[in-house]
Amino acid sequence: MKKVSIIIPCHNEQHTLPKLCEVLTAFINEHKDYLWEIVMINDGSQDNTLGVMKTIHENDSRYAYIDLSRNFGKENAMLAGFDHVTGDCMVIMDGDMQDPPYVIADMLRNWEQGYDDIYAKRISRGKESFMRRILTKIYYYILQKIARIDVLPNVGDFRLLDRKCVDALRSIRETQRYTKGFYSWIGFRKKEITFDRGDRDSGMSSFNFLKLFNLAIEGITSYTTAPLRISTVFGLVVSLVAFIYMCYIFIKTIIYGDPVQGFPTLIVIILFLGGIQLLSIGIIGEYLGRVFHETKHRPVYIIREKEGV
């Protein structure tokens, strides 16, 4: 009998996690042709999420939990799940009730047909602000244009991965992680299914605009050096324009003399060139910072307590 593992990274989900596990338990009880393993990862929650996990584990041994020593972020919490699941395939889902368990049945059917990565694409994104929707579309448009791999829009972490995909993801030990890019980078046979993303049952998402912006920067700097190349091209263009302008001033001075004028133009040019230099230094700094963090070779996460895995 094949074994299916499910990982649920959680951060402050004490109210939604019991409801999710209730629905999930009903689902897996209807699919007894598989063995089931559910691993809940507590990513430094500040509420009683860990206590809820312990209660769920005590009531059903199919549920296990991993308690991280602090908040390492969802990307690293998922890696903790990758490292501990033992199933023939693995499903990733959020703990906020927005990923409906019934979709797993479609994933399993496609997995049995030979697909290795069955990802769920959102038809609707639930309750999101208009600004967040627009910024998300712009981000994915930019990333698809400059990245060397295909990062799919409206596709999150809700997916089923074959064991060989899980092993491939486990082998990637980068500390600055962007797992949505890893899914495409590792390859394997992929299959798309669609679903309507639900709304949060309670509470608020811990992903604010600042965290989403940082995640966007991670995605861009992880999978493309295009910003560095754009900075180089921009520098060449500005240098060429400056050279042409210098030739113009030189010829104009020879023909018409050199009256004292053009102070505002000079200030504008100095400020513009200074801004371009600072922008270029900032882009280089982003990549250099990634190198700095990777050379430390620190563990991606630290476990304080675990049970059932």
Side-chain angles (χ1 to χ4, degrees):
M1 185 178 293
K2 295 180 180 179
K3 186 176 185 179
V4 180
S5 299
I6 300 175
I7 66 169
I8 309 174
C10 301
H11 179 69
N12 296 338
E13 300 289 0
Q14 66 173 5
H15 299 295
T16 58
L17 189 58
K19 300 175 184 178
L20 171 63
C21 290
E22 181 181 350
V23 176
L24 192 57
T25 299
F27 173 80
I28 63 180
N29 286 339
E30 294 175 358
H31 295 77
K32 296 182 179 180
D33 45 341
Y34 294 100
L35 296 175
W36 294 91
E37 170 192 57
I38 299 93
V39 180
M40 303 169 289
I41 303 102
N42 180 37
D43 185 27
S45 298
Q46 298 175 341
D47 59 6
N48 191 40
T49 298
L50 178 60
V52 172
M53 289 180 176
K54 290 182 177 181
T55 301
I56 294 172
H57 168 69
E58 291 172 358
N59 295 331
D60 192 336
S61 61
R62 293 174 294 185
Y63 288 84
Y65 68 87
I66 299 172
D67 181 32
L68 302 184
S69 62
R70 64 170 178 84
N71 178 238
F72 286 90
K74 182 183 178 182
E75 304 289 316
N76 297 341
M78 287 194 297
L79 180 61
F82 299 164
D83 288 340
H84 289 84
V85 294
T86 58
D88 298 293
C89 67
M90 176 192 70
V91 177
I92 308 169
M93 62 189 309
D94 292 338
D96 54 11
M97 295 290 290
Q98 290 186 286
D99 297 334
Y102 69 84
V103 180
I104 299 176
D106 293 334
M107 294 179 176
L108 288 171
R109 280 192 291 270
N110 284 280
W111 177 56
E112 294 287 3
Q113 294 174 8
Y115 291 99
D116 304 311
D117 180 358
I118 301 94
Y119 57 88
K121 184 174 182 179
R122 310 179 187 107
I123 299 176
S124 63
R125 298 180 60 92
K127 291 182 180 179
E128 282 188 346
S129 66
F130 175 76
M131 182 60 67
R132 181 165 174 174
R133 292 174 187 268
I134 295 299
L135 292 177
T136 299
K137 289 181 179 180
I138 293 174
Y139 164 67
Y140 277 113
Y141 175 80
I142 294 174
L143 189 59
Q144 286 181 317
K145 290 296 182 182
I146 65 178
R148 295 182 178 180
I149 59 172
D150 187 18
V151 180
L152 302 170
N154 290 324
V155 175
D157 296 306
F158 188 29
R159 63 182 62 217
L160 182 147
L161 298 166
D162 186 78
R163 185 73 225 180
K164 50 182 171 287
C165 295
V166 177
D167 292 338
L169 291 170
R170 287 180 59 190
S171 68
I172 304 174
R173 309 307 294 188
E174 298 176 15
T175 57
Q176 309 295 303
R177 305 182 66 80
Y178 186 68
T179 313
K180 291 181 180 63
F182 292 161
Y183 299 138
S184 298
W185 186 83
I186 62 174
F188 296 106
R189 294 187 63 196
K190 301 185 183 298
K191 176 70 174 180
E192 174 188 302
I193 61 175
T194 57
F195 78 110
D196 288 309
R197 185 169 174 82
D199 300 322
R200 285 187 65 89
D201 187 75
S202 62
M204 296 181 63
S205 174
S206 60
F207 274 93
N208 53 35
F209 276 103
L210 180 59
K211 290 184 178 180
L212 290 172
F213 178 75
N214 290 332
L215 184 63
I217 295 297
E218 288 292 337
I220 292 174
T221 56
S222 293
Y223 292 98
T224 177
T225 57
L228 291 173
R229 205 158 293 166
I230 293 172
S231 177
T232 302
V233 173
F234 209 7
L236 290 173
V237 171
V238 171
S239 298
L240 179 61
V241 172
F243 176 76
I244 295 173
Y245 184 68
M246 181 188 70
C247 294
Y248 166 75
I249 294 297
F250 180 73
I251 296 172
K252 181 181 177 182
T253 302
I254 292 176
I255 298 176
Y256 299 104
D258 187 21
V260 180
Q261 61 181 6
F263 180 76
T265 304
L266 182 63
I267 293 299
V268 170
I269 292 175
I270 291 174
L271 293 176
F272 176 73
L273 292 177
I276 294 300
Q277 290 173 341
L278 290 175
L279 176 62
S280 300
I281 292 173
I283 293 173
I284 295 172
E286 284 291 335
Y287 285 92
L288 186 60
R290 296 183 64 83
V291 175
F292 172 71
H293 286 295
E294 293 298 333
T295 55
K296 291 181 178 181
H297 299 296
R298 291 177 180 175
V300 181
Y301 61 87
I302 299 174
I303 295 177
R304 177 168 53 189
E305 179 186 353
K306 61 181 178 180
E307 192 67 44
V309 293

